[in-house]
Amino acid sequence: MKKLFKQNATSSRFDHFIAKYNIPKEYLFVNRKMVTRALLIGIAIGLIPMPFQMFLVLGMIFFFKFNVPIALLMVWLSNPLTMPFMYYAEYTTGVYLLGMEHLVVEPSLEWFENNFSHIFIPLYVGTLFYMLTLSPLVYYVVDWLWIRSVRKERKRGQNKTTPF
């Protein structure tokens, strides 16, 4: 995957696009820290039940340095097909953590409008739980896998015999 990014990062069309829109290259770097931060931020924001999650990711560039395209892609993990399942899991987790009674959910806009005040707090408690567990878990797993693959590659390079 790293090789794919590196190949595209050196193309003249890519450089022209960056120059045309005056995009700082630092937000496009593909290294372990930039990618893992992007995953952490993108997944955490993608879990929040709110509109315009991508704008929140873009707002984060003023506070953190991360690979912006990867973070934006992670936000799209929550899309119209996955949102109902994600938000139901977050609601159920929030109900469990708060020890509340679980409402029978009906997949209709009318039910949602009538019960929003009852599901709001458990939904966001569940969201907070997943933001604080799932995002760091992905961050550390990818970080560990990246370090492991680099060490493996270096070890493989050292085991090659030189002709001289």
Side-chain angles (χ1 to χ4, degrees):
M1 186 162 160
K2 183 178 176 182
K3 290 178 184 176
L4 175 70
F5 282 116
K6 291 241 181 208
Q7 287 172 353
N8 288 337
T10 58
S11 75
S12 62
R13 286 181 20 198
F14 187 72
D15 289 337
H16 176 71
F17 177 81
I18 290 172
K20 180 179 177 182
Y21 293 105
N22 199 20
I23 300 170
K25 281 193 173 187
E26 62 191 5
Y27 294 111
L28 303 171
F29 287 161
V30 179
N31 59 43
R32 181 176 55 91
K33 289 185 179 187
M34 295 294 275
V35 170
T36 53
R37 282 186 209 145
L39 292 171
L40 178 76
I41 291 168
I43 291 171
I45 292 173
L47 290 169
I48 302 171
M50 64 175 270
F52 307 113
Q53 295 165 324
M54 290 177 31
F55 291 122
L56 184 56
V57 168
L58 294 175
M60 300 296 277
I61 64 174
F62 299 109
F63 305 104
F64 305 103
K65 291 195 188 300
F66 57 93
N67 185 298
V68 175
I70 291 175
L72 291 172
L73 285 172
M74 291 299 101
V75 167
W76 276 97
L77 288 176
S78 66
N79 58 61
L81 296 175
T82 61
M83 276 184 209
F85 303 107
M86 287 174 52
Y87 298 160
Y88 182 75
E90 290 172 352
Y91 167 72
T92 303
T93 303
V95 164
Y96 175 77
L97 292 173
L98 294 171
M100 296 174 67
E101 186 177 327
H102 194 284
L103 297 177
V104 177
V105 178
E106 296 175 19
S108 72
L109 190 57
E110 181 182 340
W111 181 91
F112 184 75
E113 289 172 353
N114 292 336
N115 293 292
F116 184 74
S117 62
H118 300 293
I119 65 171
F120 181 79
I121 291 177
L123 175 65
Y124 279 91
V125 167
T127 298
L128 186 62
F129 171 79
Y130 285 111
M131 284 175 66
L132 296 175
T133 57
L134 186 61
S135 301
L137 177 68
V138 170
Y139 174 90
Y140 287 114
V141 166
V142 171
D143 190 55
W144 178 76
L145 288 171
W146 194 301
I147 290 170
R148 186 172 170 226
S149 71
V150 167
R151 286 181 180 162
K152 197 178 219 182
E153 196 173 302
R154 284 181 184 164
K155 190 174 185 179
R156 198 175 327 144
Q158 289 174 351
N159 288 341
K160 290 182 181 178
T161 58
T162 58
F164 302 114

